[in-house]
Amino acid sequence: MDGAHLTQALRHRVVLEIQLRHARDTFELNVSMRCPTPGVIALFGPSGAGKSTLAHIIAGLIPLQNGYIRLDGQTLSDSALGIHLKPEHRGIGYVFQDARLFPHLSVSGNLHFASKRVGTRAVYVSYDEVVSLLGLETLLARRVHTLSGGERQRVALARALLLQPRMLILDEPLAAIDTPRRAEVLPFLVRLRDRFSIPMLYVSHQYEEVLQLASYLALIDEGKILAAGHLSQLSQLQALQKYIGQEAIGSVLDAVVDAVDEGSNLASVALGEQRLRFYLPNSVQGQRIRIHVLARDVIISTQAPTGLSVRNAILCTLTQLHDEAPDSVIATLQFGQTALLSRITRSAVYDLQLKVGASVWALVKAASLRGNLL
Amino acid sequence: MLTPVELEAFKLSLWISLSSVLCNLPIAILIAWLIGRYRFTGRALLDACVHLPLVLPPVVTGYLLLMLLGIHGPIGHWLYTTFQIRLAFTTTGAIIATAVMSFPFMVRAIRLSIEGIPRGLDEAARTLGAGPIDRFFQVTLPLIVPGILAGMITAFAAGLGEFGAVITFASNIPGQTQTLPLALYTALQSPSGDIAAMRIAGLSVLLGFMGLLAGEWMARTLRKHYGTASC
């Protein structure tokens, strides 16, 4: 990117700035963050971490006690200046966990409730487009109490979008839906993310959802932001690991497909000077993808592998060994700008005499890697 | 089958009860909304005042009205000297007495339905750009229609039976303030009034039945319209 392009990109970059302290009973929210947008910002943390409170404060539903919130340079709240924009004037679409559709209105009545109140904001998406994006064509005349949980959330999403919002807050939109039914909503969320360039704040305690949607992650617990950054940079962070569950520990790589072997359904991405091959049917060169390389799928070898079926052997530097459990260790393997995580047993560390700074080979089966389109 | 005086009492009962319900409606919605939605100092006192007619002997309520609104009472005197309006011993007086007595029923029913609206809907409406008045008319009011109708039916039925407050404040004047219960009372006072009393009692029972059936029908219709889920 040359200089002119860079300034252009920076000028168009909307930023959400939050600096606040908020006390309620014995709980204190103490947040300072600056998120680049557009894109999906995941506010991720366990139940009771303060996620929903923070989301409510951003929307103006809970008055800010101390600090400020700015969106794209505009102050939404500032306790020092005495500014508190009412929620009805913020233009922030909010999708609640429990949908909160109006029971006295039909589905289309709920949608029109929003589209009649756009005010002076520019209309960037039409009623018809929203209806078709969320697949609501056949539901429009229905009364809301006849809808399933997934359908309700799709209507709530459509309603929030028809406000022509300048930002969308999704407050655990899948939490109230049975796990198998979540698949009925998640693809729609992906579609919205790809279609609109408005910032989306996605509140969740499910890492799986975050992986599928978010580009930026803010980890929150006990009212504090513990880490914030691009998911691909944060995924190797020790602080995150205790919140995502052992099985999900791994390295998130965002990359562009640069070669496709159609015969074997293998695609590959270049990561610095190295190359990672993985299974992705029907992939196209130039696609942006996200690969979640799980720590349990990465093998460490101290010698260059020969005679193995493994398709990926990457020469790395072992930069960190940390104890995960009494008998297992998570090793961080750095190559160029990228790091992989590997879960190995303590006895393997001892037998291979692994030490920080050593050069090792990271072995990953291509078949165990799945690329997700971004 | 009914004597002209009884027919007059029947019509007057309907008129007085209906008028009292309509007069009460806007005030009852306002008070129910205040008590149901907000926490403010004096809320408990307001609530108590609303419910007072329910626990006081109706004669006492009628007497208090007479003290306040009678020609020698502070408000009644002012009304009379300024506008030549007399309330005590008139049809309007009977409407006021009935309204005061049935007011708590109405506030109760409306307040219950206001409290039954999930608070989240108001928040959702706020994020969708609706201001307070907009929210009241487009969200709260449509959702409390069942409560309002239930309150109106109960208050109307209670109004038909009001006796003590009406006879104390508005007296028992045939054609002006003599409602069905008052006519029944008059009939009982007369040695040959047994048949008349039975006719009036039967009429009252019929009216009561119709009221209950109307209420049930309305509740069923509304359930069909709104569904049972609160979403």
Side-chain angles (χ1 to χ4, degrees):
Chain A
M1 208 181 265
D2 60 50
H5 275 101
L6 192 67
T7 22
Q8 187 83 1
L10 284 176
R11 199 183 309 140
H12 283 278
R13 174 167 276 192
V14 179
V15 177
L16 176 66
E17 293 169 274
I18 301 168
Q19 175 89 56
L20 64 87
R21 294 169 74 89
H22 185 91
R24 189 194 59 210
D25 305 328
T26 56
F27 181 79
E28 198 195 42
L29 198 59
N30 191 344
V31 171
S32 169
M33 62 192 249
R34 234 180 103 87
C35 307
T37 62
V40 176
I41 307 160
L43 191 57
F44 174 73
S47 306
K51 305 186 292 290
S52 213
T53 307
L54 180 56
H56 275 68
I57 293 174
I58 296 170
L61 294 170
I62 296 177
L64 178 71
Q65 289 172 352
N66 241 307
Y68 61 81
I69 297 167
R70 295 190 196 119
L71 176 62
D72 194 13
Q74 194 209 350
T75 301
L76 301 180
S77 292
D78 192 325
S79 59
L81 300 174
I83 295 174
H84 180 75
L85 208 58
K86 288 182 178 163
E88 50 262 46
H89 299 140
R90 291 195 180 199
I92 296 181
Y94 203 115
V95 176
F96 298 88
Q97 186 177 329
D98 49 353
R100 302 194 183 176
L101 303 179
F102 301 120
H104 60 296
L105 300 173
S106 64
V107 169
S108 63
N110 270 277
L111 300 186
H112 285 303
F113 190 97
S115 51
K116 278 185 207 148
R117 289 169 175 79
V118 172
T120 52
R121 277 188 304 284
V123 173
Y124 58 78
V125 60
S126 71
Y127 181 84
D128 292 340
E129 190 186 350
V130 168
V131 167
S132 93
L133 263 176
L134 288 151
L136 302 178
E137 293 90 344
T138 58
L139 302 179
L140 289 174
R142 295 263 292 274
R143 302 217 66 90
V144 298
H145 65 265
T146 65
L147 302 177
S148 73
E151 289 168 338
R152 259 176 223 187
Q153 283 303 12
R154 273 152 57 199
V155 175
L157 274 166
R159 188 176 68 171
L161 278 172
L162 283 169
L163 190 68
Q164 316 291 334
R166 41 199 299 227
M167 176 180 170
L168 207 52
I169 297 180
L170 307 162
D171 192 352
E172 308 229 20
L174 303 181
I177 306 174
D178 311 334
T179 316
R181 300 239 157 199
R182 287 184 190 171
E184 293 172 13
V185 181
L186 206 53
F188 290 101
L189 291 172
V190 173
R191 239 197 248 186
L192 297 188
R193 175 196 67 194
D194 298 340
R195 163 64 180 81
F196 300 108
S197 56
I198 51 166
M200 291 163 78
L201 183 73
Y202 190 85
V203 178
S204 180
H205 64 273
Q206 294 287 340
Y207 191 58
E208 192 55 35
E209 294 166 15
V210 172
L211 275 179
Q212 293 200 44
L213 284 170
S215 45
Y216 194 89
L217 182 138
L219 175 66
I220 182 171
D221 194 13
E222 291 172 346
K224 287 182 190 64
I225 301 288
L226 302 179
H230 285 280
L231 191 49
S232 50
Q233 289 153 12
L234 285 194
S235 59
Q236 301 108 28
L237 214 66
Q238 218 171 307
L240 184 67
Q241 289 172 13
K242 79 179 234 215
Y243 295 99
I244 60 181
Q246 264 205 344
E247 285 307 295
I249 292 177
S251 179
V252 174
L253 308 176
D254 290 342
V256 176
V257 173
D258 68 350
V260 177
D261 179 3
E262 274 163 32
S264 59
N265 277 334
L266 285 183
S268 73
V269 294
L271 296 164
E273 289 164 10
Q274 307 279 354
R275 175 157 292 282
L276 192 69
R277 282 190 279 187
F278 56 95
Y279 181 74
L280 181 69
N282 309 320
S283 61
V284 184
Q285 223 173 336
Q287 261 174 338
R288 286 179 353 106
I289 52 131
R290 166 169 292 170
I291 311 165
H292 191 198
V293 188
L294 294 173
R296 63 163 194 228
D297 291 336
V298 178
I299 296 166
I300 296 180
S301 166
T302 50
Q303 293 159 14
T306 50
L308 291 176
S309 68
V310 68
R311 308 308 298 164
N312 295 303
I314 300 169
L315 187 61
C316 316
T317 309
L318 202 166
T319 55
Q320 200 183 23
L321 282 167
H322 91 259
D323 302 342
E324 185 194 33
D327 52 359
S328 71
V329 174
I330 298 281
T332 308
L333 310 168
Q334 190 81 34
F335 63 99
Q337 299 294 309
T338 315
L340 295 176
L341 299 178
S342 172
R343 176 179 294 126
I344 47 179
T345 58
R346 189 169 297 283
S347 61
V349 176
Y350 182 78
D351 289 349
L352 298 177
Q353 297 186 332
L354 294 177
K355 294 218 165 54
V356 169
S359 282
V360 294
W361 297 82
L363 310 182
V364 194
K365 281 170 65 109
S368 71
L369 292 182
R370 287 245 317 279
N372 277 315
L373 297 184
L374 257 194
Chain B
M1 133 184 178
L2 288 176
T3 67
V5 173
E6 284 161 18
L7 192 65
E8 192 64 36
F10 174 65
K11 285 198 264 182
L12 206 54
S13 274
L14 294 181
W15 167 246
I16 287 174
S17 199
L18 188 67
S19 308
S20 71
V21 166
L22 295 179
C23 291
N24 271 344
L25 190 58
I27 316 165
I29 293 176
L30 181 72
I31 301 280
W33 191 56
L34 285 178
I35 297 176
R37 264 291 158 81
Y38 299 99
R39 300 284 171 269
F40 51 92
T41 41
R43 178 173 170 273
L45 188 69
L46 182 65
D47 199 24
C49 286
V50 167
H51 284 90
L52 207 55
L54 218 55
V55 291
L56 282 181
V59 180
V60 174
T61 306
Y63 178 65
L64 290 175
L65 285 174
L66 204 55
M67 300 259 286
L68 283 173
L69 303 177
I71 211 93
H72 301 299
I75 302 172
H77 182 73
W78 175 76
L79 281 174
Y80 187 66
T81 50
T82 322
F83 304 105
Q84 275 77 53
I85 292 175
R86 215 162 57 88
L87 294 176
F89 315 120
T90 63
T91 309
T92 314
I95 293 172
I96 289 174
T98 308
V100 169
M101 290 304 294
S102 58
F103 191 64
F105 294 112
M106 225 150 141
V107 172
R108 251 185 125 73
I110 298 171
R111 177 187 159 181
L112 275 178
S113 69
I114 286 179
E115 287 172 343
I117 300 177
R119 278 309 290 265
L121 290 182
D122 206 55
E123 285 187 348
R126 292 195 83 179
T127 63
L128 293 168
I133 296 167
D134 190 6
R135 293 201 298 277
F136 179 76
F137 282 103
Q138 299 302 321
V139 180
T140 310
L141 200 56
L143 286 173
I144 61 172
V145 164
I148 291 176
L149 291 175
M152 284 172 76
I153 290 175
T154 319
F156 180 72
L160 285 177
E162 190 41 47
F163 180 83
V166 173
I167 204 167
T168 312
F169 182 56
S171 185
N172 187 357
I173 308 163
Q176 276 193 50
T177 69
Q178 192 180 71
T179 56
L180 280 179
L182 271 61
L184 178 62
Y185 172 74
T186 307
L188 284 175
Q189 301 295 304
S190 125
S192 59
D194 281 355
I195 303 297
M198 277 166 76
R199 274 203 306 272
I200 297 170
L203 195 61
S204 298
V205 170
L206 194 70
L207 269 178
F209 253 120
M210 280 161 56
L212 287 173
L213 289 176
E216 183 56 32
W217 172 78
M218 191 123 62
R220 215 176 307 157
T221 312
L222 289 170
R223 252 203 307 279
K224 216 181 284 170
H225 185 71
Y226 284 103
T228 41
S230 58
C231 32

